[in-house]
Structure formats: C-alpha cells, structure tokens
Amino acid sequence: MTPQAYAQQKAAASGSSFYYAFLFLPPPQRAAITAFYAYCREIDDVVDEVHDPAVAQLKLHWWRLQVARCYDTSHGVPEHPALQALQPHLATYGIEAEHLLQIIDGCQMDLEQSRYLDYPGLQRYCHLVAGVVGEVAARIFGQSTAQTTAYAHRLGLALQLTNIIRDVGEDALRGRIYLPVNELQRFEVKAHELLKRGQGAEAGFEARCTALLQFQIARALGVYDEALALLPAADRRAQKPGLMMASIYRRLLQQIATDPLRVLTQRVRLTPLTKFWLAWKVQALGRL
C-alpha cells in the first residue's frame, strides 16, 4: 500500500465528518489535507488506544523524531506512511514543524492531566489539538490574508468544544472530564456524578447536568458565530471546507440540544446523508 493510499484509508475509516468536507477539494489539496488528517488521527490514537501512559509517552517521543526527519533528512526519512504522504506537501502549503509538534503537545496534555480548572485552561488545550489543526487546514484550503488564521483558530475552538460536549459520556469512561471544574461547581454537578454518567447521582442531577450542558452548547454556538464573523470575504470561497465542517458540527450541536443528557450514555451522530447534504449545500450555495 502506498503512503497516499494509507492516508486515504485512515481518513475514510475514521468515519469523521471532516472526510465529507475533503470530497469537494481539487486533488492536490485533497491529498494534502487527507495526509495531514491521517497524521492527526495517528497522534490522537496514541492517547486513545495506548493504555500505559509510559508507553504512550515513548510513542509520542518517537513521533517527534519522525517529524524532525520530515524537515531534516540528514537524520533519515520518516518511517510512518502518514508522514511519508504528508512530507511532499509541507513546503507547498507552508506547514511548519512547529505546527506538527504542537499537535503532539496537545495530545501529551491528555497524558498529564484529565481536568481543566477553568475555560482559559481548556482553551489552551483546544488551541493545540484543534486551533493549530484549523490553521494548517486553512493554509491547505487557500488563504490570502492573515485574518483567515484568526478565523481558523476560532473555528477550531468551536469544533473542539463540540467534540467535548458530544463525548462527555465516552470521556467519563476513560476517567476524563473536559468541562471546566469551576463550571461544574457553578451548576452544582459533582465530578463523580459525571464519571458514573449519572448512575447513582444525587437528587436533581438531571436538571443540574442539563443546565450545565445547555451552557456549554450555547457557548460553543456563540464561538461558531465569532469564527464566521472573522472570515474575510476574500477567502470565503477558498475556505468552503471549513464552512462545511461548521455547518455539520453546528447541526450536531443543535441535535444534542434537543436532549442534552443523551451524551452521557450514547454518541449522538448525524447520518452520512445529512452530513453530505450539509456539505453539498455549502459547496453549491456558499452558505451554511
């Protein structure tokens, strides 16, 4: 299997909504974003699939060395097919080593902490695992002004906040709570109630947790609005893939909002047909 085929398979197998946004890109950009996404998935899998933190740390260190080889082949060439697929696109789209390393930094945070005291702390994490991803994606899609980078970072934050809300129950099974501690306290939701996904919770948990999740959803929807307001008109056409993602994830949030407590026990999803329709609408009409 070629590195390019591996990256394509990795992106498609993830079942991510991002894949639908890639379908409408010209081949060179589609190849670049697919390879970049495959790299991001590989890094994310280290944290999700390796249960021994020490082993995960070693794997992330190995990935750092692989990234270095992409930019300085005197130390050898990248061994992993995801980076082999990405390497030819690095100079073309201005993807710097720091971008790739910051994504590793973000995943390393998952090994070192499972709580965030407040929203600014959570934003730092989101910047590394999603804002940087948005910046690189925007470069691949095509941008003519630095203002588009600000939009991409804000959109990355909105997408990651959506992931966090959707995955509250799944993260609890891993012993993780990404919702800020001071906001749990504000809505009087105990950490142990979330970790047990509401089982055996104290009286009034459903009302308290619903209010907490509604607050998270409202904030995330507001961040989407902030991101879209930052996108310069000159780059709106080129950035359609990001707008597709905003449309799909915003619709997902709206679906979660109809019954927020579902996220504790199930993964709320949109159908593939709905995702494709939302992506096509942006492609055809240029709006969400």
Side-chain angles (χ1 to χ4, degrees), residues 194-208:
L194 279 186
L195 290 174
K196 293 181 180 179
R197 303 196 295 171
Q199 296 181 9
E202 298 173 18
F205 170 75
E206 290 189 1
R208 290 182 280 112

Side-chain angles (χ1 to χ4, degrees), residues 87-277:
Q87 189 176 26
H89 305 289
L90 298 176
T92 303
Y93 297 107
I95 304 171
E96 301 169 6
E98 186 62 21
H99 291 131
L100 303 184
L101 292 174
Q102 283 185 315
I103 293 167
I104 298 175
D105 290 342
C107 288
Q108 185 149 352
M109 287 182 71
D110 278 326
L111 300 178
E112 297 169 352
Q113 65 182 99
S114 58
R115 302 285 191 281
Y116 293 88
L117 294 179
D118 52 27
Y119 185 54
L122 180 62
Q123 283 182 293
R124 169 61 180 164
Y125 168 76
C126 291
H127 165 75
L128 293 172
V129 299
V132 175
V133 174
E135 178 180 344
V136 172
R139 292 185 180 205
I140 293 172
F141 299 153
Q143 67 177 90
S144 60
T145 172
Q147 179 65 21
T148 298
T149 299
Y151 145 80
H153 277 277
R154 206 65 185 164
L155 180 59
L157 173 61
L159 296 174
Q160 187 62 25
L161 291 176
T162 304
N163 283 336
I164 287 170
I165 295 166
R166 179 197 62 195
D167 296 342
V168 166
E170 292 183 12
D171 289 331
L173 291 175
R174 299 187 178 101
R176 297 187 174 280
I177 299 175
Y178 288 95
L179 306 183
V181 171
N182 66 344
E183 293 174 6
L184 266 64
Q185 294 171 340
R186 173 181 169 184
F187 290 93
E188 300 181 336
V189 174
K190 308 295 192 298
H192 72 83
E193 293 177 316
L194 279 186
L195 290 174
K196 293 181 180 179
R197 303 196 295 171
Q199 296 181 9
E202 298 173 18
F205 170 75
E206 290 189 1
R208 290 182 280 112
C209 191
T210 296
L212 170 65
L213 292 171
Q214 286 174 334
F215 173 79
Q216 304 296 323
I217 292 168
R219 178 168 59 198
L221 289 171
V223 176
Y224 281 108
D225 292 339
E226 293 167 5
L228 295 175
L230 288 171
L231 177 59
D235 281 350
R236 189 173 181 87
R237 183 179 181 86
Q239 296 298 319
K240 278 185 178 180
L243 296 177
M244 292 175 189
M245 289 307 309
S247 180
I248 291 170
Y249 268 61
R250 196 163 67 171
R251 175 65 63 86
L252 176 64
L253 266 183
Q254 292 166 345
Q255 183 164 312
I256 291 172
T258 63
D259 183 10
L261 291 181
R262 283 184 297 168
V263 300
L264 293 177
T265 56
Q266 61 181 276
R267 187 182 182 93
V268 181
R269 303 175 187 270
L270 299 179
T271 66
L273 181 60
T274 298
K275 293 177 184 179
F276 183 81
W277 178 77

Side-chain angles (χ1 to χ4, degrees), residues 10-57:
K10 185 73 176 180
S14 72
S16 171
S17 300
F18 286 85
Y19 185 67
Y20 293 86
F22 302 165
L23 295 176
F24 298 93
L25 285 168
Q29 290 167 292
R30 187 165 66 244
I33 194 65
T34 300
F36 175 63
Y37 181 71
Y39 166 77
C40 293
R41 289 304 315 163
E42 293 290 347
I43 302 303
D44 196 50
D45 286 349
V46 172
V47 175
D48 288 344
E49 298 179 2
V50 179
H51 302 296
D52 185 332
V55 174
Q57 290 279 16

